[in-house]
Amino acid sequence: MTDGTTRGTVTGRPRNSRPPEARAAFGVGVIVLAPQGHVLIGRHRAGTWELPGGKIDPGESVPTAAARELHEETGLHAEPHAVRVFAMLHDDVQGVHRITMAAVVTAYTGTPYAAEPDIVSDWQWHDPTGLPGPLFTPSAQILAAWRPDLDIEVSPPYSFGIAAPVSHHDRRESPDTDGSRRI
């Protein structure tokens, strides 16, 4: 440029000398759907029922974290490309921002078992209209975001739907069978 500035320059220069205080939790919850429409939920040692899921590690993509957590907790194997992220949920728990990514998996292999029996003692398939309770709050929020018609009493988080990015060419492909678009 002729005015002496550099266009598009990005700097990684720290803004201050102290690192920020961690005040957020970033996780993913996975709805695993059986062919007949049943949902996989597990009995947590605290007495609640929950979806598979957990924290997203630094540098890990949401689909990769979902597939990893699914395998670590249930023994089921799903490829990250088979994970469909459909919402981002945001709420506050005792001053900590909780960001939970909501995902659905329909393509997986294996039979679920309690891979971490000290945390979840049993995994069971349930019709989503007849889930046992009490549900772990983030799991209830994910299920309610997925199917608002379900009779789940939960404090609603802020919810943001996830859509496939649109390229700068604004291509108009037809959606896949799951409603997602490949761009």
Side-chain angles (χ1 to χ4, degrees):
M1 299 185 78
T2 58
D3 64 1
T5 62
T6 304
R7 185 176 179 174
T9 300
V10 177
T11 180
R13 176 180 63 79
R15 293 201 257 183
N16 62 45
S17 60
R18 292 181 293 126
E21 181 181 328
R23 299 184 53 91
F26 187 36
V28 62
V30 184
I31 297 171
V32 183
L33 282 177
Q36 70 275 28
H38 288 175
V39 174
L40 184 66
I41 59 172
R43 180 79 161 165
H44 191 273
R45 68 174 176 232
T48 57
W49 290 88
E50 65 180 37
L51 297 168
K55 291 186 177 72
I56 298 170
D57 291 335
E60 188 174 41
S61 73
V62 174
T64 299
R68 176 185 52 76
E69 287 287 347
L70 181 63
H71 187 262
E72 287 176 0
E73 294 183 3
T74 71
L76 294 177
H77 179 74
E79 294 294 331
H81 69 267
V83 175
R84 185 174 64 87
V85 179
F86 67 90
M88 180 184 84
L89 310 176
H90 172 236
D91 65 353
D92 181 82
V93 178
Q94 299 175 344
V96 174
H97 293 278
R98 182 169 52 195
I99 311 290
T100 305
M101 305 304 291
V104 173
V105 170
T106 57
Y108 53 87
T109 58
T111 301
Y113 67 93
E116 298 175 324
D118 56 320
I119 299 171
V120 174
S121 61
D122 187 31
W123 291 100
Q124 299 177 9
W125 295 103
H126 286 270
D127 184 307
T129 62
L131 296 171
L135 290 169
F136 178 53
T137 300
S139 295
Q141 292 170 335
I142 290 167
L143 289 161
W146 171 62
R147 293 259 317 259
D149 62 304
L150 295 176
D151 187 23
I152 297 175
E153 290 186 32
V154 64
S155 301
Y158 293 104
S159 179
F160 306 91
I162 305 293
V166 177
S167 75
H168 65 283
H169 298 291
D170 191 27
R171 292 181 272 176
R172 301 188 191 281
E173 295 86 359
S174 61
D176 289 347
T177 57
D178 68 355
S180 65
R181 295 182 180 274
R182 296 179 195 266
I183 297 201

